[in-house]
Amino acid sequence: MKPSDPKANPHIEAMQAYTPGEQPQGGGWIKLNTNENPYPPSSKAVEAIRVALGDNGTLLRLYPSPDSTPLREAAARVHGYSPESIVAGNGSDDILNLLIRAYAGPGRSIGMLDPSYSLYPVLAAAQGAAVVKVPVKADYTFDVDAVAKCGASVFFLTNPNAPLGVAFAVERVIALAKVFPGLLVVDEAYVAFAGESCVDLPKQFPNVVVTRTLSKGHALAGLRAGYAICPLGVAAVLHRVRDSYNLDRLAQVAAAAALQDDAWLNETVGKITATRRRLMDALRGLGWKVNESSANFVLAEPVAKGGVASVQAAESAFEFLRSKKILVRRFPNHFLTEKALRITVGTDAEADALVAAAGVWTKG
Ligand code: PMP
């Protein structure tokens, strides 16, 4: 018999992979499509990597700390927890995956706001878990009661929301934590650019986890480091199901150093939020409809001169920007985002180039 393509498990055969943002090849692109930080990371992170390599990289011979002790200790110090409450991940995507692996599966669904992060359904599908979507309301809040009653074993609350950019008030998250019967995960990937955080909730609620990434605020997307701040019971469960060495040596120490460099973070976030303001004002000046943003991106509906926001206008503006080598992102699958472009806040120069091209498109 001739060997043939092996069949994967039926639920894996049926699923689709996550679609990451485009990574353009060749130079000259202004890349504003995956919410990367435009500035180099803390020099303390880079120095930590140099030290961790050892002479000629000799320390790479050795396995890293299995539970990422350097990163967990730093995160514990920064947030006022014990290291036992912190679980490190190879990016916060790793943490999201672990949460679903441990708390969802056949007969135990995950829940999420719609729209929010499109990776959650992919991770759920890989574990054979169904997905319940609770709509974000037209006023950009969510219905606490609807989430509480959605039946999911684990609910992902992206806060600030992506791709909308809005932040939900901590008060509202607390109201939800009090009534949600499963595990509530507050995904704070973009919190560095927002006003408030739910970071203290895992101290008060045995059913709340907060996830963080070093990819956005700390400019370390290429490193892959994130972590969860957990009630002790949840932390123990996640340690049970994670890979034995899920972060490499370099990521552990660089993330630890970056987390503790407050001066760098404040300066960088200050620059990005100032550019965000300038970008939003300029796009509004062109007549585009722009959401308020608590993240390092803005969601903006292009409006051509004499026209209205529409799916066609968004497609047209996207293609025009692309022809000028400016890459942004479209989310055509939801009525709250289909007329919009999601634009990462880059440097002032990148924002100016975007606005100049947007101006040319707008005037036709
Ligand atoms: N959560 C949200 C809402 C995100 O947008 C992202 C980045 N795409 C992540 C988590 C994951 O970030 P990372 O894996 O780079 O830590």
Side-chain angles (χ1 to χ4, degrees):
M1 213 172 77
K2 263 179 77 184
S4 59
D5 261 4
K7 281 266 173 266
N9 296 330
H11 66 284
I12 304 291
E13 290 285 344
M15 70 176 276
Q16 301 288 326
Y18 175 71
T19 313
E22 183 180 345
Q23 297 192 336
Q25 301 302 309
W29 286 89
I30 296 181
K31 190 172 179 301
L32 303 176
N33 67 332
T34 51
N35 302 337
E36 287 145 326
N37 192 312
Y39 299 106
S42 161
S43 57
K44 293 182 179 162
V46 180
E47 183 52 29
I49 289 177
R50 262 191 216 111
V51 172
L53 281 169
D55 286 343
N56 300 319
T58 187
L59 292 174
L60 293 179
R61 295 176 300 104
L62 305 173
Y63 282 103
S65 161
D67 61 4
S68 302
T69 295
L71 172 52
R72 288 171 51 243
E73 285 182 342
R77 213 171 299 129
V78 167
H79 299 302
Y81 279 82
S82 74
E84 287 69 41
S85 299
I86 312 289
V87 179
N90 188 18
S92 62
D93 285 348
D94 183 25
I95 296 288
L96 303 173
N97 194 24
L98 297 179
L99 286 161
I100 293 178
R101 191 184 288 172
Y103 290 94
R108 288 169 60 96
S109 56
I110 74 146
M112 61 187 280
L113 290 183
D114 189 26
S116 66
Y117 187 26
S118 59
L119 179 72
Y120 310 133
V122 177
L123 300 177
Q127 302 297 331
V131 180
V132 186
K133 293 185 177 177
V134 177
V136 173
K137 298 204 302 191
D139 64 356
Y140 286 167
T141 61
F142 63 88
D143 183 340
V144 169
D145 216 39
V147 176
K149 295 191 176 128
C150 77
S153 300
V154 46
F155 193 91
F156 292 92
L157 185 71
T158 320
N159 195 23
N161 180 281
L164 296 177
V166 292
F168 306 115
V170 170
E171 282 308 306
R172 207 169 186 81
V173 182
I174 291 175
L176 176 60
K178 285 182 178 159
V179 293
F180 184 65
L183 178 64
L184 176 62
V185 179
V186 187
D187 179 343
E188 291 196 336
Y190 296 100
V191 79
F193 311 99
E196 31 170 33
S197 160
C198 290
V199 73
D200 290 329
L201 299 196
K203 274 185 198 146
Q204 301 156 34
F205 296 95
N207 63 330
V208 177
V209 168
V210 172
T211 63
R212 291 285 185 100
T213 177
L214 279 287
S215 298
K216 311 294 181 186
H218 294 88
L220 290 169
L223 194 69
R224 312 307 299 134
Y227 54 95
I229 303 155
C230 308
L232 290 177
V234 177
V237 166
L238 296 184
H239 277 301
R240 223 178 278 160
V241 297
R242 66 172 172 74
D243 290 350
S244 37
Y245 300 99
N246 62 332
L247 268 84
D248 64 68
R249 302 180 79 85
L250 310 183
Q252 292 185 25
V253 294
L259 266 185
Q260 296 174 99
D261 193 347
D262 276 346
W264 181 93
L265 185 68
N266 291 337
E267 187 191 332
T268 305
V269 168
K271 285 193 283 194
I272 291 173
T273 51
T275 306
R276 177 175 76 195
R277 183 77 267 153
R278 172 188 167 123
L279 174 63
M280 290 168 62
D281 290 347
L283 292 176
R284 283 181 181 149
L286 294 175
W288 290 27
K289 291 182 16 195
V290 183
N291 268 12
E292 278 310 307
S293 171
S294 294
N296 67 338
F297 58 85
V298 299
L299 192 72
E301 296 185 348
V303 182
K305 203 165 164 226
V308 290
S310 68
V311 175
Q312 292 72 19
E315 266 165 17
S316 158
F318 177 90
E319 290 303 337
F320 182 80
L321 293 172
R322 202 170 191 291
S323 74
K324 304 287 175 211
K325 299 194 102 175
I326 301 174
L327 207 52
V328 297
R329 190 123 184 219
R330 293 257 296 115
F331 291 86
N333 296 330
H334 195 279
F335 73 96
L336 286 176
T337 55
E338 64 186 359
K339 297 175 192 162
L341 306 179
R342 193 196 66 186
I343 305 165
T344 303
V345 179
T347 60
D348 276 344
E350 289 172 329
D352 289 348
L354 179 288
V355 170
V360 173
W361 177 86
T362 301
K363 290 184 190 104

